[in-house]
Amino acid sequence: MLSDPSRGTNPAQQSPAPQLYDLLIVGGGVNGAGIARDAAGRGASVLLVEQHDLASHTSSASTKLIHGGLRYLEYYEFRLVREALIERERLLAIAPHIIWPLSFVLPHSRLVRPAWMLRMGLFLYDHLGGRMTLPRSRGVRLDRDPVGKPLRPAYRRAFIYSDARVLDSRLVVLNAMDARARGADIRTRTRLVGARRVGGVWEATIEDASGRQTVRARGLVNAAGPWVERVLRDTLAIGTTKQVRLVKGSHIVVPRRFEGEQAYIFQNPDRRIVFAIPYERDFTLIGTTDIPWTADPGDVRITEDEVRYLCDSVNRYFTKPVTPGDVVWSYAGVRPLYDDAAQNASAVTRDYVLDVDSPPEGGVLLSIFGGKITTYRRLAEHALEKLAPFLPVVGGRGWTAGQPLPGGDLGPGGFDSAVARLRVHAPFLPLDDARRLVRHYGTLAWDILGTAQSRADLGEDFGGGLTAREVEYLIAREWAVTAEDILWRRSRQGLHVDEDGQARLEHYLAARRQGAPGNRPAMAD
């Protein structure tokens, strides 16, 4: 029955006003998840929307490193390097399960940079960040040290320095999990359709598979990464003088090329550097490239030229050549760098810029340009400092520097001790599986295993140690929906699960969506 407008409106029949949040965050990459965690921990009501999966673009396409950025010293980025080195120490402490030390071997090439320049750069690198727990740099003779074994005899000297590696997509998920635990509403596969300022707050339309919904927020954070300008221009109809510069970075993965847990950093004649890093036990990760990108940031792939470039880069150093035919997997992502007008893509700053739009009538907007995974936590603090004058609820002192991410409370003895305790809890687990579970989930591995008394209690094994119990955990706790979410961004077992295992996982998920009972193991409380 249609209402009669002449009779007025009955307040009891009015639709409830859309929910009002303190912050609406657009983008589920590392910056958006980091801001959501920090803001929720300060007592703010937070809604984060991500159009795809968490970390589905830039934040899962990195070189998997937490590092100060040794090469940025060459561009006089001293503040950025110092901040990154300080953050490296903090992240090692709050996420020791997914972030751990890694030594880098830098062979000296007379054709690129003189030895004195490398020594000076490494001296600065050792001291810019203040107190550090990692070993300081040192020189080695490659003919006398095992790290020289995979290298060509022409390289006689090298420097070894320290940084850290990270499970990048898991870093994003853990920040989102902690944000949710502190009250944030995290919605994946949810798109911001439009937003406008109404009565001093943002009124936004979001859309997911179930349809559209209107929400309101006192402040809006544009953490859309490669889409930051598009959100400003097309979704919010707001102009800015700042621009993002998209640079594609591609990586290849090949069967393991050297023994040991050290990584290598190689200098090329074009003065770029390429890493060769131990990866997923059986492989070597090689990257990255720096290619200007102007096409759709959601549709980015490595090219044959990039594959050849990466192969040529490491073949100048390794005795055992790497060919395009050796590549078992590759990935590419777009870095949304702040456009500082540098002509060379490699020289574009990796620093970040926070742009605030705050009209007198209210409805503050903060847009993020640039940034790197190592400094995401500090960027989140800076973002809330920028927002605090307009949103007092996010004011006050930062808290995230000393609080472990979920699963990061490994306890005395650290990682190895946690692995030993997990094997006591579940003696049926092979050592490699126990190490993988602790590396990916930390103390949350106990939640996955629950009261299982045997391998059979974990349900179907899809390969690589990935079981139905872990899949159920990822769906229930970590927003996983598809096989790609599970294999490449959560368990990271995509390289260890063969085609048959992937097909069985797809079948398992399809049966689950259709409500088939199947052999689904119960999750622990």
Side-chain angles (χ1 to χ4, degrees), residues 7 17 42 84 106 119 127-128 151 235 237 360 366 401 419 445 504:
R7 297 182 179 179
R42 299 185 191 208
L106 171 58
R119 280 196 300 268
H127 293 87
L128 265 179
L151 302 176
T235 309
L366 183 141
V419 172
R504 286 188 290 110

Side-chain angles (χ1 to χ4, degrees), residues 281 415-440 445-446 449 455 458 464-465 493:
R281 192 179 64 240
F415 178 81
D416 290 335
S417 177
V419 172
R421 295 197 308 273
L422 187 66
R423 296 197 76 200
V424 171
H425 174 78
F428 57 85
L429 272 185
L431 177 60
D432 283 346
D433 288 358
R435 290 183 65 84
R436 183 185 73 81
L437 287 173
V438 175
R439 178 59 72 203
H440 286 71
W446 276 260
L449 296 174
R455 188 69 176 228
L458 301 181
Q493 288 302 94

Side-chain angles (χ1 to χ4, degrees), residues 79 127 130 139 148 161 191 229 265 287 316 326 333 351 402 414 516:
R79 190 210 63 79
H127 293 87
Y161 70 95
R191 183 172 66 95
E229 275 191 77
I265 174 172
R316 294 188 182 94
D326 294 322
D351 211 343

Side-chain angles (χ1 to χ4, degrees), residues 354-368:
L354 306 177
D355 186 42
V356 176
D357 182 83
S358 55
E361 63 271 19
V364 62
L365 166 68
L366 183 141
S367 298
I368 300 168

Side-chain angles (χ1 to χ4, degrees), residues 256-488:
R256 187 151 188 160
R257 276 304 187 267
F258 52 87
E259 297 299 321
E261 288 304 308
Q262 75 282 356
Y264 293 86
I265 174 172
F266 297 141
Q267 305 173 86
N268 290 319
D270 61 3
R271 301 187 70 82
R272 291 205 67 257
I273 55 97
V274 166
F275 294 103
I277 302 169
Y279 189 68
E280 292 296 328
R281 192 179 64 240
D282 302 324
F283 304 94
T284 298
L285 172 66
I286 298 170
T288 179
T289 58
D290 276 322
I291 307 293
W293 188 256
T294 57
D296 182 358
D299 184 22
V300 54
R301 296 177 179 86
I302 194 171
T303 65
E304 292 182 2
D305 286 345
E306 287 178 287
V307 172
R308 284 193 294 268
Y309 173 85
L310 293 173
C311 290
D312 291 345
S313 296
V314 297
N315 287 342
R316 294 188 182 94
Y317 293 85
F318 283 147
T319 56
K320 184 179 180 181
V322 176
T323 69
D326 294 322
V327 177
V328 297
W329 182 52
S330 64
Y331 63 91
V334 174
R335 307 182 193 100
L337 306 180
Y338 175 65
D339 192 352
D340 61 357
Q343 293 185 350
N344 184 347
S346 298
V348 179
T349 183
R350 266 53 176 179
D351 211 343
Y352 52 84
V353 171
L354 306 177
D355 186 42
V356 176
D357 182 83
S358 55
E361 63 271 19
V364 62
L365 166 68
L366 183 141
S367 298
I368 300 168
F369 295 82
K372 58 199 296 285
I373 197 166
T374 304
T375 54
Y376 87 91
R377 192 207 63 83
R378 189 68 183 110
L379 181 151
E381 285 187 336
H382 280 155
L384 296 186
E385 288 168 9
K386 292 274 191 179
L387 291 170
F390 315 99
L391 297 172
V393 68
V394 300
R397 298 182 62 181
W399 62 274
T400 57
Q403 292 295 317
L405 284 168
D409 50 338
L410 297 183
F415 178 81
D416 290 335
S417 177
V419 172
R421 295 197 308 273
L422 187 66
R423 296 197 76 200
V424 171
H425 174 78
F428 57 85
L429 272 185
L431 177 60
D432 283 346
D433 288 358
R435 290 183 65 84
R436 183 185 73 81
L437 287 173
V438 175
R439 178 59 72 203
H440 286 71
Y441 306 103
T443 55
L444 298 177
W446 276 260
D447 291 355
I448 296 175
L449 296 174
T451 58
Q453 298 297 307
S454 68
R455 188 69 176 228
D457 290 340
L458 301 181
E460 185 172 358
D461 189 334
F462 302 101
L466 178 66
T467 65
R469 179 74 70 90
E470 186 175 345
V471 170
E472 290 297 323
Y473 168 87
L474 295 173
I475 293 170
R477 307 278 184 86
E478 296 195 4
W479 300 276
V481 175
T482 69
E484 181 182 352
D485 300 345
I486 291 166
L487 291 173
W488 297 104

